[in-house]
Amino acid sequence: QVAACALADASYSYTSTLSKPKPRTLKQVVFSAETVNAELRDALAHTQALVAGIEVAKEWANRPANHATPSLLANAAKAIAKGPAFKCEVMGPKEVTKLGMGAFLAVARGAAEPLRFIVMRYSGAPAAQAPVVLVGKGITFDTGGISIKPAAEMDEMKYDMSGAASVLGVFKALGELKPAINVVGLIPATENMPDGQAVKPGDVVTSMSGQTIEILNTDAEGRLVLCDALTYAERFKPRAVIDIATLTGACVIALGGVRSGLFSSDDALAQALQLAGDASGDACWRMPLDEDYAEGLKSRYADVANVAGRQAGSVTAAKFLQRFASRYPWAHLDIAGTAWRSGAAKGATGRPVGLLLAYLLAQAGPAAAKAASNRRR
Ligand code: BES
Ligand code: MN
Ligand code: ZN
């Protein structure tokens, strides 16, 4: 798996918006082994599905924002969620308004591109089995809104839908492996733009959960789209909910590009994710969630503010999300440092598809994995 993933990564090249794309030159890799058994065949199938998933995630994260709008992401989700085990539903502003997602709608106010709320379902197990829900941040471009970002490197904010791209990548891999588990993918997708209609610092909005939020900084938009998706996740009676987001610059400072930030209210879930990360070479590191970190989120004008002070920014962001994830075991992956590389080698990494797939396959268990591999034969 390590060798195949390294070869795939090194031979990958982005092509979709080049007039004269350079196609991939590496066409085939042959592995030789003394004995070819079922275990080896399964490892190979897993790796092929993993590489396909990673490349879907890279493709969508790399695409410029004008080639990866919320509507285009929704179309991609529909194309990936094809086949009898899949369902995909796409909602627009009307349905999201009806659901009462006031926080998500507030972020989308400034955008001319219409928002999309994407619901993907993979059913590999009986319906009675509680699903794992993956929630991917889908900000297709983050200008910061009225709290606008500086111009330098702002182009990199096209990657702000890398969490969503990782959900698409996982679903791609599920379609190839067909493991015996149920998975739901939720993607709140919108641009974050400044505009005459845009939400303003100090505005108070009501989230789907009923909690009111004082939006003190419109650049802390990821947590606003995620909180409503986390409330929506309750209806699936999930066994676990994992959100994946390029959430904070503070996480880049804390952990760099080596490990993603892991936050969880559930020790068993945290341990399973940490193990999956180490096993797949797509590692994460657990960060704290002490209640004292929530102090700065207090607001005079709403139940909660969307930002705290400058200290421990990735933790206070997670504390905000935790308020909306009290009804199920929950984990949050801050991939701001790991989803893409800057500088000369600029590009999406496809992380954390490897971590998530390893976690899901471990959840399916050895028995379920075996049944899936028999079905494939
Ligand atoms: N998408 C950014 C986080 C980000 C910044 C990822 C830089 C990768 C590199 C997020 O929406 C954001 O702007 N967060 C703010 C939060 C702050 C206003 C509390 C940040 O990190 O500066
Ligand atoms: Mn932002
Ligand atoms: Zn953002």
mmCIF file of all heavy atoms in Angstrom, residues 137 139 142 157 160 219 221-222 246, ligand 3:
data_model
loop_
_atom_site.group_PDB
_atom_site.id
_atom_site.type_symbol
_atom_site.label_atom_id
_atom_site.label_comp_id
_atom_site.label_asym_id
_atom_site.label_seq_id
_atom_site.Cartn_x
_atom_site.Cartn_y
_atom_site.Cartn_z
ATOM 1 N N LYS A 137 -16.510 20.218 5.146
ATOM 2 C CA LYS A 137 -16.624 21.671 4.896
ATOM 3 C C LYS A 137 -16.470 21.918 3.401
ATOM 4 O O LYS A 137 -15.447 21.564 2.804
ATOM 5 C CB LYS A 137 -15.553 22.441 5.683
ATOM 6 C CG LYS A 137 -15.477 23.942 5.341
ATOM 7 C CD LYS A 137 -14.436 24.682 6.192
ATOM 8 C CE LYS A 137 -14.232 26.120 5.719
ATOM 9 N NZ LYS A 137 -13.209 26.851 6.501
ATOM 10 N N ILE A 139 -16.540 25.059 1.560
ATOM 11 C CA ILE A 139 -16.422 26.466 1.147
ATOM 12 C C ILE A 139 -15.600 26.477 -0.153
ATOM 13 O O ILE A 139 -14.379 26.262 -0.121
ATOM 14 C CB ILE A 139 -15.774 27.325 2.249
ATOM 15 C CG1 ILE A 139 -16.623 27.304 3.532
ATOM 16 C CG2 ILE A 139 -15.584 28.782 1.761
ATOM 17 C CD1 ILE A 139 -18.019 27.922 3.412
ATOM 18 N N ASP A 142 -13.033 31.011 -0.056
ATOM 19 C CA ASP A 142 -13.158 31.762 1.193
ATOM 20 C C ASP A 142 -12.397 33.079 1.094
ATOM 21 O O ASP A 142 -11.189 33.135 1.304
ATOM 22 C CB ASP A 142 -12.608 30.909 2.354
ATOM 23 C CG ASP A 142 -12.747 31.618 3.702
ATOM 24 O OD1 ASP A 142 -13.441 32.650 3.761
ATOM 25 O OD2 ASP A 142 -12.159 31.118 4.684
ATOM 26 N N MET A 157 -7.349 29.800 -1.016
ATOM 27 C CA MET A 157 -8.657 29.559 -0.387
ATOM 28 C C MET A 157 -9.642 28.842 -1.324
ATOM 29 O O MET A 157 -10.760 28.544 -0.950
ATOM 30 C CB MET A 157 -9.241 30.868 0.155
ATOM 31 C CG MET A 157 -8.547 31.285 1.440
ATOM 32 S SD MET A 157 -8.730 30.016 2.744
ATOM 33 C CE MET A 157 -7.028 29.656 3.159
ATOM 34 N N ASP A 160 -10.522 25.514 0.212
ATOM 35 C CA ASP A 160 -11.299 25.504 1.452
ATOM 36 C C ASP A 160 -12.480 24.522 1.409
ATOM 37 O O ASP A 160 -13.250 24.436 2.360
ATOM 38 C CB ASP A 160 -11.774 26.927 1.789
ATOM 39 C CG ASP A 160 -11.890 27.185 3.286
ATOM 40 O OD1 ASP A 160 -11.299 26.420 4.068
ATOM 41 O OD2 ASP A 160 -12.590 28.142 3.665
ATOM 42 N N ASP A 219 -15.035 35.738 8.675
ATOM 43 C CA ASP A 219 -14.031 34.793 8.166
ATOM 44 C C ASP A 219 -14.028 33.478 8.960
ATOM 45 O O ASP A 219 -13.389 32.515 8.563
ATOM 46 C CB ASP A 219 -12.637 35.445 8.213
ATOM 47 C CG ASP A 219 -11.624 34.732 7.328
ATOM 48 O OD1 ASP A 219 -12.036 33.857 6.540
ATOM 49 O OD2 ASP A 219 -10.428 35.068 7.431
ATOM 50 N N GLU A 221 -16.207 31.250 8.983
ATOM 51 C CA GLU A 221 -17.438 30.791 8.319
ATOM 52 C C GLU A 221 -17.585 29.276 8.320
ATOM 53 O O GLU A 221 -18.686 28.760 8.236
ATOM 54 C CB GLU A 221 -17.478 31.314 6.868
ATOM 55 C CG GLU A 221 -16.714 30.474 5.831
ATOM 56 C CD GLU A 221 -15.212 30.383 6.075
ATOM 57 O OE1 GLU A 221 -14.678 31.279 6.752
ATOM 58 O OE2 GLU A 221 -14.583 29.420 5.591
ATOM 59 N N GLY A 222 -16.445 28.567 8.402
ATOM 60 C CA GLY A 222 -16.505 27.104 8.325
ATOM 61 C C GLY A 222 -17.383 26.528 9.423
ATOM 62 O O GLY A 222 -18.252 25.691 9.192
ATOM 63 N N THR A 246 -10.983 22.333 6.660
ATOM 64 C CA THR A 246 -9.840 23.248 6.669
ATOM 65 C C THR A 246 -10.260 24.437 7.533
ATOM 66 O O THR A 246 -10.574 25.498 7.024
ATOM 67 C CB THR A 246 -9.525 23.708 5.234
ATOM 68 O OG1 THR A 246 -10.770 24.127 4.623
ATOM 69 C CG2 THR A 246 -8.930 22.582 4.396
HETATM 70 ZN ZN ZN B 3 -12.658 28.921 5.531
#
